[in-house]
Amino acid sequence: MRTYETIFIIRPQIAGDEYTALLGKYKQILADQSAEILRCQEWGTKRLPYIVKKQDQGTFVLINFIAGNTVVKEFERRLRLDDAIMQFQTVLLEHGLDLNAPEAAAKTVEDDLDDDDSEQDEEQD
Amino acid sequence: MGFDKTGGARRRFGRRKGCRFCADSEIKIDYKDVRTLKYFVSERGKIVPRRISGNCAIHQRKITEAIKRARNIALISFTSKRTIE
């Protein structure tokens, strides 16, 4: 039983109760397979730096859970089947998860999208 | 053709200080922490080489892996240009 961290992007059109239903479904899938959900963060809808599945926005959701590898395989299979999920990525946390870690500053993705290219020095590739 | 290694490097960084992660901060390298990773990505969206970023080998590898994971999950762009059709 190891600690995994899955982050996935949901289509921006899915909102409100449909979104909560979808989230509940996935939490239920994990719960059914006796996985212990440590944390579920929802970062909300963001602009993506590149087009994913013809969308340039997406809703990010991060789930940390403790489970066996068969559970992860099944969970990812379900994520792959669902077309509401545009992209997902699962990472194994070797050192487990310390919940009181300082909050990851990933939420400020906006500020890097409109970063001013004030420095005009073009690199020579 | 000058071979002075120091002069030719891009002016963008010019950081010759030691590895940021070894010395001062026990900050964790995390693919979700875009703010820290952005510091090691050039304007073109390319990963800054170790000789310029001044990182040690261990942390440079961790940074590279984190940047690639962030790119995969659309937190960081592969190229810096915003492709909006």
Side-chain angles (χ1 to χ4, degrees):
Chain A
M1 298 288 274
R2 303 204 286 187
T3 312
Y4 293 95
E5 178 179 271
T6 300
I7 181 168
F8 50 92
I9 310 176
I10 302 174
R11 280 185 187 286
Q13 293 83 6
I14 300 206
D17 50 7
E18 197 180 353
Y19 168 77
T20 43
L22 186 81
L23 217 51
K25 182 180 101 172
Y26 282 107
K27 283 187 191 167
Q28 194 51 42
I29 289 172
L30 281 176
D32 290 350
Q33 298 172 341
S34 72
E36 182 205 347
I37 297 180
L38 298 173
R39 176 174 66 166
C40 177
Q41 277 179 354
E42 291 158 33
W43 294 350
T45 308
K46 280 193 189 327
R47 283 174 57 83
L48 301 178
Y50 54 87
I51 306 291
V52 176
K53 297 245 173 7
K54 300 192 177 44
Q55 310 280 344
D56 65 355
Q57 286 194 349
T59 313
F60 283 77
V61 174
L62 175 84
I63 296 185
N64 291 88
F65 57 94
I66 296 179
N69 54 7
T70 52
V71 175
V72 177
K73 221 172 287 179
E74 173 60 20
F75 186 51
E76 285 204 330
R77 189 184 67 80
R78 301 294 289 268
L79 283 173
R80 212 171 275 122
L81 286 178
D82 194 335
D83 66 352
I85 307 286
M86 293 170 8
Q87 196 125 346
F88 63 90
Q89 178 173 269
T90 303
V91 168
L92 168 68
L93 302 180
E94 281 93 0
H95 321 298
L97 174 76
D98 48 355
L99 280 174
N100 39 39
E103 221 22 63
K107 299 178 193 51
T108 59
V109 177
E110 281 76 21
D111 60 23
D112 73 26
L113 293 185
D114 45 38
D115 56 354
D116 47 358
D117 33 31
S118 54
E119 294 144 321
Q120 296 310 332
D121 55 345
E122 271 312 298
E123 293 148 80
Q124 63 295 10
D125 293 332
Chain B
M1 278 239 297
F3 279 102
D4 55 338
K5 255 201 67 44
T6 54
R10 280 194 322 272
R11 296 184 316 282
R12 170 153 167 37
F13 264 85
R15 282 168 40 86
R16 304 311 279 165
K17 291 196 290 293
C19 171
R20 263 186 75 190
F21 301 97
C22 281
D24 48 9
S25 69
E26 71 296 330
I27 182 171
K28 288 276 179 302
I29 297 177
D30 185 11
Y31 69 95
K32 302 188 292 296
D33 185 1
V34 177
R35 190 182 302 276
T36 317
L37 295 183
K38 281 300 284 184
Y39 197 75
F40 295 102
V41 171
S42 73
E43 295 94 31
R44 291 281 176 114
K46 297 163 74 174
I47 297 173
V48 171
R50 193 156 76 87
R51 56 184 162 80
I52 289 173
S53 68
N55 281 340
C56 70
I58 301 166
H59 290 114
Q60 179 73 13
R61 274 199 301 273
K62 282 194 182 129
I63 283 280
T64 310
E65 184 194 50
I67 288 174
K68 287 175 182 172
R69 278 188 179 152
R71 284 175 176 166
N72 180 41
I73 198 65
L75 284 175
I76 288 181
S77 152
F78 283 92
T79 69
S80 67
K81 291 192 187 31
R82 292 279 300 129
T83 52
I84 294 184
E85 285 81 28

